[in-house]
């Protein structure tokens, strides 16, 4: 695993956009119109930039898998982060969808712990490379890194098919949300 540089942004955006094309949560956030695929790329670019500011971005050594880690306690409202938020609203979410997205995010965040933790925002492997253990290997390295820092590890998935993958690696479901779609909140302490 290697830390991604800003020069890796396009690779990460393309990889995650392919990996999350049919993801329930991503497609809830992204305005559904003829520009949907472009909007998914905007979301991934936003997440990359926010994790460069307030977290870390990692690539597998072979550069076929990537992960975006976010540290919520580091988040600050800066001119840059506010600009990124505004661009996300206009280029990805759509003004008419902002309230529903903020409500969903608030419902998830109220279950976060008070202590500092590692939040896995996205982990992805190109669909053509899935099923080869690349994501699992990268996630195992991230778990070790988080444990070495003494931080619990949190994530959520809206894809039921992913739940067993996370459970196999020691995550537990600590809550579930049923609206606007099913979301599994997972943690590894």
């Amino acid at each position: 695993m290697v830390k991604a540089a800003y020069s890796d942004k396009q690779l990460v955006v393309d990889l995650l956009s392919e990996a999350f094309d049919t993801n329930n949560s991503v497609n809830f956030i992204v305005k559904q119109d003829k520009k949907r695929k472009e909007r998914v790329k905007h979301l991934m670019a936003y997440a990359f930039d926010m994790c460069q500011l307030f977290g870390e971005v990692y690539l597998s050594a072979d550069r076929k898998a990537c992960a975006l880690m976010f540290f919520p306690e580091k988040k600050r409202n800066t001119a840059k982060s506010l600009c990124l938020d505004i661009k996300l609203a206009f280029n990805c979410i759509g003004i008419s969808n902002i309230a529903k997205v903020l409500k969903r995010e608030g419902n998830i965040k109220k279950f976060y712990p008070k202590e500092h933790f590692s939040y896995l925002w996205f982990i992805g492997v190109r669909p053509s490379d899935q099923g080869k253990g690349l994501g699992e290997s990268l996630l195992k390295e991230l778990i070790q890194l988080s444990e070495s820092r003494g931080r619990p590890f949190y994530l959520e998935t809206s894809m039921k098919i992913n739940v067993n993958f996370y459970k196999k690696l020691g995550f537990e479901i600590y809550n579930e949300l049923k609206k606007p779609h099913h979301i599994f909140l997972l943690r590894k302490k």
Side-chain angles (χ1 to χ4, degrees):
M1 170 173 85
V2 296
K3 222 176 214 188
Y6 194 79
S7 59
D8 295 313
K9 180 177 179 177
Q10 195 59 56
L11 169 66
V12 170
V13 167
D14 290 344
L15 196 155
L16 290 175
S17 295
E18 285 184 47
F20 284 84
D21 184 54
T22 60
N23 182 276
N24 296 333
S25 286
V26 166
N27 283 299
F28 175 79
I29 292 168
V30 171
K31 183 175 179 181
Q32 300 295 299
D33 61 10
K34 64 183 179 181
K35 295 182 180 179
R36 185 191 66 79
K37 286 193 181 281
E38 182 182 328
R39 293 180 192 284
V40 170
K41 287 185 182 238
H42 282 291
L43 174 62
M44 298 310 170
Y46 169 83
F48 179 93
D49 289 338
M50 293 299 278
C51 287
Q52 286 286 356
L53 290 171
F54 309 114
E56 298 168 338
V57 179
Y58 290 98
L59 287 162
S60 59
D62 62 8
R63 301 171 63 83
K64 292 183 177 183
C66 66
L68 279 63
M69 296 286 293
F70 189 74
F71 305 121
E73 81 280 359
K74 292 186 177 184
K75 171 78 167 73
R76 303 287 177 267
N77 288 325
T78 65
K80 182 166 181 133
S81 70
L82 292 172
C83 182
L84 290 170
D85 289 343
I86 291 167
K87 284 174 60 178
L88 180 73
F90 284 100
N91 296 330
C92 176
I93 298 170
I95 301 303
S96 61
N97 294 327
I98 290 173
K100 76 174 189 173
V101 169
L102 289 174
K103 181 178 180 184
R104 175 192 174 273
E105 295 303 306
N107 286 338
I108 292 170
K109 288 179 181 175
K110 70 182 174 186
F111 294 106
Y112 286 168
K114 301 292 184 236
E115 64 190 319
H116 293 178
F117 65 99
S118 298
Y119 173 72
L120 182 62
W121 196 341
F122 289 109
I123 185 168
V125 177
R126 287 187 197 279
S128 61
D129 290 317
Q130 290 176 0
K132 299 175 184 175
L134 301 172
E136 182 176 342
S137 178
L138 180 58
L139 185 52
K140 284 179 179 177
E141 289 183 76
L142 293 169
I143 290 168
Q144 288 177 341
L145 180 62
S146 192
E147 287 174 350
S148 73
R149 294 173 173 170
R151 296 173 74 99
F153 202 109
Y154 283 71
L155 62 92
E156 68 261 351
T157 184
S158 61
M159 305 299 286
K160 187 168 177 58
I161 193 168
N162 293 339
V163 172
N164 285 335
F165 168 75
Y166 292 117
K167 282 184 171 181
K168 183 173 91 170
L169 295 172
F171 286 85
E172 65 174 348
I173 296 173
Y174 70 94
N175 212 325
E176 295 180 45
L177 303 175
K178 307 281 190 203
K179 293 180 182 178
H181 50 269
H182 204 119
I183 302 171
F184 301 91
L185 284 70
L186 296 113
R187 69 180 169 206
K188 182 170 178 54
K189 290 197 166 201

